Amino acid sequence: MAAVAVTKPGMLTTVQDLGRWGYQQSGVPVAGPMDPYSHRLANRLVGNPDDAATLEATVVGPDVRFEDGATFAVAGAEFPLTLDGAAIRPNAAYYAGPGSELRFGVRRRGARAYLAVAGGFDVPPLLGSRATSLVSAMGPFGGRLLRAGDRLPIGDARGGPGPGAEEPLPLVLPSGGAQIRVIWGPQADAFTEEARRVFTTARFEVTVQSNRMGYRLDGPRLAHVRTADILSEATPIGSLQVPASGQPILLMADRQTTGGYPKIATVITADLPTAGQLAPGDWIAFAPCSLAEARRALVALEERLGDVGS
Amino acid sequence: MSDVTLRPAGDAAWFIELEDRLDEAVNDRAIAIGRAVCAAGLPGVRDVVTGYRSVAVHVDPLRADATLEEALARLASEVTVATGQDAAIVRVPVCYGGELGPDLPEVAAFAGCSEDEVIALHCGRTYRVYMVGFVPGFPYMGTVDPRIAMPRRESPRVRVPALSVGIAGGQTGIYPTSTPGGWRLIGRAAVRPFDAARTPPCLFEPGTRVRFVPIGADELARLEGQP
């Protein structure tokens, strides 16, 4: 079977598909790409379905060797990509001949890039998904980071261009920080009026204590009205939970399924890809919006990806 | 009923919230609503997670109907609640104390009784699984006898061995894998709460009734040796 070999693993490279849905009731994290938009874009550029497995590279990308010829594309964060030493563009499909080497280098903008190969990475699925959950050590390679020497089999390409009716456009990458839209709650009323005001006016910093589970944010303290404990409940993607310290944590792809801290607000689906492109040191500001605005923003993003009126 | 509140958590989840208290009847109702939502097969629903007093419905916002909120409210108000009293009981053999339950002496000191009495109190009740979370397969069970309901450690252990049985206030649980954790460890279970190769992978779901059974070290070794 055709395969791609990892020659240098980069900082944090994992296999991801759209996530391990359906088992959160048993405590199984969803995982999946931090920037689902760019994961899907990379897949579409090579004619894959959206849920085909890609490699997610983080800040320092990997070097890989194509053991056999394959069509590939890289989307998401901007890296100085080279194929056999020649510079190549992101967001475009290329053919790599047998033995070709793809190098990522150190990112220029954004935090995470996605490498898709035509046919997808055909690693064995676990509970219906090829996503890597580092926190629960589930998924391909025992749910760990990729290492030098790992070989990733490539599935059968279905051929032909992506399904988009229009040329898909890349995500607008954040530069140093981003404004992110949120919907208040589910526990906004657990916070003081002052805390809610500060939450929407201050800038927070993504700290180094951030990973695929979530971003610990540094900024003004958000005070609870009474207590920082709630009866444990589900923690949806994009939740901003606030423990007793008053410093919010933005829950991302590999979050735990449940938690016992109040959640002041939740990032809208359309802005999760941008949030996934933030790195430690970047700022983040929150803008409340309505459910109707969230839906409009998502439709606009889907149009950008080439899904028109589907 | 009027005491059900629907709240959005962003545009990709809804919370169906019940009364804000730790109560078996409230949890029974959450479990019944969670099952009804699963059974309804509403478009776009991709996960249903029952908590102590809430049900989270995770949706794909591109696939969910505009009528989802209404449908969830209707399901929540129409659901019939089973009490769970006739649910099957899962028996969990536990080897208590010693190296496998390093906090048993502290819990005995807290309770002002012997270690054997702590074991008898822990095994003397049928627990309910209120919810599963934290890590794959971790059952949050209650309610433990108030005499042994010792609060969690001030500073969590960096590594709790897999299958440790712990107490945290009125709750008791089993660590399915080795993780950091602050619960008071009193023994080692001879069952695996989660196994991805098993169908279903998780031994527990909200509403499962659980009884602990004390076993000796040789019995634990024998059970662990079984496939």
Side-chain angles (χ1 to χ4, degrees):
Chain A
M1 195 179 226
V4 169
V6 176
T7 48
K8 262 171 61 182
M11 191 178 93
L12 195 156
T13 306
T14 56
V15 180
Q16 298 297 341
D17 63 10
L18 287 176
R20 190 166 285 105
W21 292 95
Y23 296 92
Q24 286 191 83
Q25 175 88 306
S26 301
V28 177
V30 177
M34 294 284 277
D35 169 3
Y37 181 94
S38 300
H39 161 92
R40 292 167 66 199
L41 172 59
N43 270 328
R44 287 174 183 223
L45 290 167
V46 298
N48 286 347
D50 285 351
D51 63 351
T54 64
L55 290 195
E56 180 183 273
T58 314
V59 181
V60 178
D63 293 351
V64 300
R65 190 178 63 248
F66 292 86
E67 294 188 348
D68 311 271
T71 301
F72 72 94
V74 178
E78 200 181 308
F79 284 76
L81 302 167
T82 58
L83 183 65
D84 291 329
I88 58 165
R89 289 189 303 121
N91 311 310
Y94 288 87
Y95 177 78
S100 295
E101 293 230 60
L102 172 66
R103 293 200 170 146
F104 276 70
V106 178
R107 59 109 194 207
R108 294 186 179 128
R109 211 147 54 98
R112 294 171 177 90
Y114 296 85
L115 166 64
V117 293
F121 290 108
D122 193 14
V123 292
L126 181 77
L127 301 177
S129 165
R130 295 179 171 87
T132 303
S133 170
L134 297 171
V135 61
S136 64
M138 292 177 80
F141 301 96
R144 63 159 169 79
L145 307 178
L146 291 181
R147 297 180 190 142
D150 287 338
R151 281 182 81 248
L152 297 133
I154 299 174
D156 292 330
R158 67 179 187 190
E166 287 181 8
E167 188 71 8
L169 293 168
L171 187 75
V172 177
L173 292 169
S175 193
Q179 176 156 300
I180 298 289
R181 286 165 290 187
V182 296
I183 291 171
W184 286 115
Q187 282 95 28
D189 51 6
F191 297 86
T192 63
E193 206 172 303
E194 172 65 8
R196 292 199 298 266
R197 190 189 65 77
V198 163
F199 176 71
T200 55
T201 50
R203 277 189 175 190
F204 294 84
E205 189 185 310
V206 179
T207 70
V208 291
Q209 288 166 297
S210 298
N211 54 31
R212 282 183 39 83
M213 284 179 75
Y215 299 166
R216 283 182 186 271
L217 304 180
D218 188 24
R221 199 176 162 274
L222 304 176
H224 303 82
V225 174
R226 287 194 311 277
T227 158
D229 289 310
I230 60 168
L231 283 173
S232 287
E233 64 178 27
T235 42
I237 181 92
S239 298
L240 282 143
Q241 67 172 20
V242 186
S245 69
Q247 301 291 338
I249 302 169
L250 170 56
L251 299 179
M252 296 295 289
D254 209 358
R255 69 203 173 279
Q256 292 180 356
T257 56
T258 59
Y261 300 121
K263 300 174 280 292
I264 189 169
T266 314
V267 173
I268 66 172
T269 304
D271 284 356
L272 285 171
T274 308
Q277 289 296 351
L278 296 174
D282 287 344
W283 59 265
I284 184 167
F286 298 105
C289 78
S290 67
L291 210 43
E293 285 174 75
R295 288 192 177 125
R296 280 196 296 275
L298 187 57
V299 168
L301 191 68
E302 288 298 303
E303 283 172 357
R304 190 175 174 84
L305 191 58
D307 265 0
V308 182
S310 65
Chain B
M1 283 182 224
S2 58
D3 56 342
V4 177
T5 310
L6 234 71
R7 279 184 214 266
D11 57 343
W14 286 94
F15 276 96
I16 302 168
E17 297 183 347
L18 305 175
E19 286 166 80
D20 189 6
R21 59 197 174 92
L22 204 176
D23 179 277
E24 295 206 354
V26 172
N27 185 240
D28 274 336
R29 195 143 161 244
I31 290 164
I33 293 170
R35 286 181 183 155
V37 173
C38 282
L42 301 167
V45 171
R46 45 188 184 184
D47 252 324
V48 178
V49 181
T50 303
Y52 280 98
R53 40 88 42 168
S54 68
V55 177
V57 183
H58 297 271
V59 302
D60 178 347
L62 291 169
R63 298 215 165 83
D65 284 353
T67 57
L68 179 68
E69 182 181 2
E70 206 182 302
L72 293 176
R74 197 173 52 244
L75 280 169
S77 65
E78 287 173 356
V79 80
T80 333
V81 181
T83 60
Q85 291 305 314
D86 48 358
I89 293 177
V90 174
R91 288 183 189 276
V92 176
V94 177
C95 182
Y96 286 93
E99 282 178 17
L100 304 178
D103 297 333
L104 185 60
E106 284 172 49
V107 177
F110 173 83
C113 67
S114 71
E115 293 184 13
D116 282 347
E117 284 168 305
V118 172
I119 296 169
L121 288 170
H122 192 249
C123 293
R125 291 187 170 198
T126 303
Y127 300 99
R128 78 153 48 219
V129 176
Y130 281 92
M131 59 178 274
V132 178
F134 170 50
V135 294
F138 188 101
Y140 286 89
M141 293 178 277
T143 307
V144 308
D145 188 291
R147 283 170 284 181
I148 58 170
M150 190 173 185
R152 66 191 78 204
R153 293 159 57 97
E154 273 182 30
S155 133
R157 284 187 171 88
V158 176
R159 186 181 168 276
V160 171
L163 308 187
S164 294
V165 175
I167 287 176
Q171 306 175 99
T172 183
I174 308 166
Y175 286 86
T177 48
S178 178
T179 58
W183 293 32
R184 307 278 171 177
L185 309 182
I186 57 171
R188 177 78 53 90
V191 297
R192 276 177 304 155
F194 190 88
D195 178 356
R198 191 170 59 196
T199 308
C202 192
L203 203 55
F204 309 106
E205 59 178 14
T208 304
R209 293 155 62 75
V210 176
R211 193 94 197 188
F212 293 103
V213 182
I215 56 167
D218 27 347
E219 178 69 359
L220 178 70
R222 193 184 67 78
L223 289 170
E224 282 179 340
Q226 288 177 353

